[in-house]
Amino acid sequence: MRSLMWFELKKMLSRRVAIAMNVGVIVLLAGVMALNVVQTKTENAAGEVLSGTEAIAYVKAEREAHAGPIASEQAAADIAAYQEAVFSEVDPDAVLQMTGSAVYSLMLETYGQEGTAELYDPYWTTLLNPWRAPGQEPAQTAALVTPVMSADWYGAVAQMTQDALDEGQGGMWEYSDAERSYWTEMQASIDEPIEYGYVGGWGNIIDCIAFLSFAILAVCVTLAPVFSFEYQSGADAVVLSTRHGRGRLVAAKILASLIWATVYFAACAVVVAGVSLASYGADGFWLSVQNIALSSPYPLSAGQAALVSVGLMYAACVGFSCLTLALSSRTRSTLSVFVVDAVLILLTGLVPSAGVGALERALALFPTCFSNFNMLFVALESYRLGPLVIDLVGMVAVVYVLLALVAAPVSIASFRRHQVS
């Protein structure tokens, strides 16, 4: 069996198209991740635009300056201190009557570049985020927050989930009582106090995880001819007439395909994760994912969220690998197999949901959609299966495991029963 698997691996990887695709995607990922670092930009307190590693170091220092647990009392005290700093020179009632751009100009005029930069520090925007309306500047939000409101900071954070449930994704989805209970319980399970800090490397892995869709596509290109090439070349007549042609050889093809899918996906994931952690740092693995998005109801750390994202992409890789083998076993055309893979892996990310909740949830199951952080950990995507509620993370895992368990046997049965012409 081992020699058969090795033989099948050499056949798959000896094709020029497979070599070009596999090498090309690795090079592409390395280039994209390098550009991701080089093109990182931020503005420092003096108004200078920093880029690359300097920008990353500045952002890290900003976060670490306020690192630590956010207790309710601390949040209330810090919000009060922020309000005192902002409204010592600015009328809180006046900023509520102004546009966001006018408020920012007023801050620059009143406090200067460095003072304004301090007032726009991510820590303050995090504290004020539970009450922030779209388009509001921090000073406008601060003008609305009373001491009673700030004293119940964690209640306000929890209310963000309830507000999202009430909104129903802009009216696109009406959450059932079971769904509301599911998300409310999940949000309530977040450990308190939330510890504020820097999670840049893990956040960047999640932001860049969609690029692994190209790795999945490369795997599918490599596996597309596994069975169909036997039909094209006429080798099926020889293969199926041999002693192990309908038994061990078929199993060797499947195992070799899954081994290659795993090895290649791991190599691509190492490129994405390695560049992210080497450039942005591995700090903050155990800091909560709320450091990336306070409104996320998931009781996960930033590092765990990154691992979940990679794991789901791997599940999709295995699922699409088995689907590719099933399609390959049913047709002589390698091109048609590749076209189906390309449409399902890449083009589904371009299809608009048009405000239809059911379509939104169907599209969310494809790699280029669920690899988006907001879709996976913020958007409250859930599926009602009778009394059972499954979130997007669980549904993606279920769908691709089932796809693999169904498609792999289909490919085996189809090739075994193939009638040689």
Side-chain angles (χ1 to χ4, degrees), residues 58-318:
Y58 183 80
V59 171
K60 182 178 180 180
E62 266 193 323
R63 302 282 295 197
E64 290 181 340
H66 295 279
I70 306 177
S72 294
E73 300 79 6
Q74 184 67 48
D78 286 348
I79 290 173
Y82 181 81
Q83 291 170 321
E84 183 179 354
V86 173
F87 302 127
S88 62
E89 301 289 340
V90 174
D91 183 1
D93 294 326
V95 298
L96 292 175
Q97 307 304 318
M98 302 168 68
T99 63
S101 58
V103 171
Y104 184 72
S105 298
L106 178 62
M107 294 294 110
L108 285 174
E109 180 182 340
T110 305
Y111 298 104
Q113 182 68 47
E114 291 191 10
T116 301
E118 172 58 29
L119 294 175
Y120 277 75
D121 188 283
Y123 178 68
W124 306 121
T125 56
T126 297
L127 290 182
L128 295 169
N129 197 32
W131 303 282
R132 182 182 179 273
Q136 270 189 347
E137 295 294 297
Q140 293 174 304
T141 306
L144 296 171
V145 179
T146 67
V148 173
M149 294 165 64
S150 61
D152 188 26
W153 191 73
Y154 280 99
V157 172
Q159 186 59 39
M160 296 173 76
T161 298
Q162 298 306 311
D163 292 342
L165 292 171
D166 292 339
E167 183 194 14
Q169 297 180 324
M172 184 171 61
W173 190 258
E174 184 176 350
Y175 291 97
S176 66
D177 291 341
E179 287 177 297
R180 294 185 71 96
S181 177
Y182 177 86
W183 289 116
T184 300
E185 289 176 8
M186 178 175 287
Q187 198 287 326
S189 66
I190 296 174
D191 290 335
E192 297 179 14
I194 293 171
E195 185 170 353
Y196 183 83
Y198 178 74
V199 295
W202 305 105
N204 195 67
I205 291 174
I206 299 172
D207 289 341
C208 296
I209 206 71
F211 291 120
L212 290 180
S213 297
F214 293 105
I216 298 174
L217 189 62
V219 167
C220 291
V221 169
T222 304
L223 303 187
V226 167
F227 292 110
S228 62
F229 183 76
E230 309 285 13
Y231 304 153
Q232 291 177 16
S233 63
D236 56 334
V238 177
V239 170
L240 291 171
S241 63
T242 61
R243 179 181 178 184
H244 300 298
R246 297 179 187 272
R248 291 184 187 176
L249 184 58
V250 181
K253 285 179 179 290
I254 301 295
L255 291 174
S257 298
L258 294 180
I259 288 172
W260 174 247
T262 299
V263 170
Y264 186 75
F265 181 88
C268 292
V270 165
V271 172
V272 173
V275 174
S276 294
L277 296 179
S279 303
Y280 291 83
D283 312 61
F285 179 94
W286 292 110
L287 295 182
S288 72
V289 76
Q290 283 70 41
N291 278 281
I292 301 176
L294 188 62
S295 59
S296 174
Y298 281 84
L300 297 171
S301 73
Q304 289 171 334
L307 293 178
V308 167
S309 298
V310 174
L312 292 179
M313 290 297 281
Y314 174 64
C317 181
V318 172

Side-chain angles (χ1 to χ4, degrees), residues 331-353:
T331 180
R332 299 170 60 91
S333 173
T334 301
L335 178 61
S336 63
V337 176
F338 170 71
V339 169
V340 172
D341 287 329
V343 169
L344 294 178
I345 296 170
L346 298 181
L347 298 187
T348 45
L350 304 177
V351 179
S353 62

